[in-house]
Amino acid sequence: MNRKYRKTIIAGNWKMNMLASEIKGFMEQLKENMPASRNCDVVLCTPAVMIPAMAKAGKDCKVYAGGQDVSKYEKGAYTGEISAAQLADVGAKYCVVGHSERRQYHGESDMLVNEKTKALIAKGIKPIICVGESLEQRENELTMEYVAYQVKAALSGIDAADLKQCIIAYEPIWAIGTGKTATSEQAQEVCCGIREVIRKKYGARPARSISILYGGSMNAKNAAELLSMPDIDGGLIGGASLKPVDFSTIIAASNQE
Ligand code: 13P
């Protein structure tokens, strides 16, 4: 982390878990365990139907609600889709985009991720753009090349003013839900590489100010070490964000200097 230049963000991605009726109890436990003073933005990205309840429950303790996906279209005959304006209207301040599970199970292309990112920016929602390599790519030493390509594709046509809205999350696919975390050195190396990609495209100042998160089996035990790395500005947390005590421990870990 480097708080002098950029925001620390601890974001939970609930994926397709929990019920709206469980939010109140979850938030009570989270509040009980959360450190009194915080140096980060806390976000919980829930299934879309739960965003209004999360936005309401998070108001008094400054936990922001986020979505997990968005349509690239503004509105119209797209049955089952949810627009950026609709997400904003029910209180989403952030939205995950290009998660590997969407890329893998729903065939999302880099171009679609780019269009969705632009749709979010247009409505004032902060996109959390996910990138990350497969195990095969890592073993073939293609990690940085592939991640750099994903970052550039996601940010295609986005200017420096709009980049200020964006957050990048480095999530190696082999670390997601596997309990196999990247080492802090591995995560730092790629997050630093992503910052270099931003520097080449936008210059030193935007590169210094963009928040880059790590995701992939981050938990209450390993968070402090990962967050101590200079280019890791927070976490995107799946499993551990479903447990209020673990999630609050990760939030507390981000308080370190
Ligand atoms: P886990 O923390 O469960 O590995 O999930 C990470 C993730 O995919 C967050 O988006």
Side-chain angles (χ1 to χ4, degrees):
M1 295 182 293
N2 185 336
R3 278 206 206 87
K4 190 165 160 211
Y5 295 117
R6 45 193 182 256
K7 198 172 253 185
T8 304
I9 299 162
I10 301 297
N13 175 7
W14 276 5
K15 309 192 179 183
M16 202 173 72
N17 293 296
M18 305 285 281
L19 299 171
S21 54
E22 292 172 313
I23 289 180
K24 199 167 165 260
F26 178 96
M27 291 303 283
E28 274 163 16
Q29 276 196 59
L30 184 67
K31 276 191 258 182
E32 252 171 53
N33 291 284
M34 216 156 34
S37 75
R38 270 181 270 151
N39 266 325
C40 64
D41 271 12
V42 179
V43 187
L44 280 166
C45 298
T46 67
V49 289
M50 288 149 68
I51 293 171
M54 179 52 79
K56 189 168 173 235
K59 218 171 194 170
D60 64 331
C61 56
K62 286 191 86 181
V63 171
Y64 299 106
Q68 298 176 5
D69 185 33
V70 67
S71 170
K72 69 172 182 175
Y73 298 109
E74 217 176 313
K75 61 165 145 174
Y78 302 102
T79 302
E81 294 283 308
I82 296 166
S83 73
Q86 289 165 337
L87 289 175
D89 187 50
V90 292
K93 302 289 182 210
Y94 291 78
C95 187
V96 172
V97 62
H99 193 280
S100 62
E101 287 151 17
R102 299 242 23 120
R103 293 180 193 254
Q104 193 181 339
Y105 307 139
H106 301 271
E108 290 199 4
S109 65
D110 288 296
M111 193 177 153
L112 181 57
V113 174
N114 174 246
E115 289 172 304
K116 290 183 171 191
T117 301
K118 287 174 176 163
L120 290 168
I121 292 170
K123 299 299 170 197
I125 297 177
K126 294 184 194 316
I128 304 176
I129 304 163
C130 301
V131 296
E133 82 287 2
S134 64
L135 186 59
E136 198 186 344
Q137 286 167 323
R138 175 158 284 271
E139 284 171 351
N140 288 306
E141 294 175 17
L142 293 170
T143 298
M144 206 52 240
E145 191 183 318
Y146 181 64
V147 170
Y149 167 77
Q150 284 184 309
V151 170
K152 282 188 258 183
L155 295 175
S156 169
I158 291 170
D159 64 19
D162 284 342
L163 181 75
K164 286 189 187 152
Q165 299 266 344
C166 298
I167 295 138
I168 313 260
Y170 167 55
E171 299 207 307
I173 297 169
W174 49 270
I176 295 176
T178 57
K180 221 174 156 188
T181 323
T183 64
S184 47
E185 289 78 18
Q186 284 172 326
Q188 161 62 21
E189 188 185 9
V190 181
C191 290
C192 178
I194 292 172
R195 204 176 299 288
E196 182 57 17
V197 172
I198 304 287
R199 191 191 63 74
K200 284 201 184 120
K201 185 171 156 79
Y202 296 95
R205 197 181 284 247
R208 205 169 61 187
S209 5
I210 191 164
S211 298
I212 302 175
L213 318 182
Y214 169 77
S217 300
M218 190 187 264
N219 59 38
K221 286 206 178 88
N222 60 29
E225 196 189 329
L226 285 158
L227 295 171
S228 73
M229 304 312 277
D231 286 293
I232 301 178
D233 305 309
L236 183 57
I237 300 119
S241 75
L242 299 169
K243 302 175 197 146
V245 176
D246 288 20
F247 193 54
S248 60
T249 306
I250 298 172
I251 295 167
S254 79
N255 264 348
Q256 65 183 298
E257 278 315 316

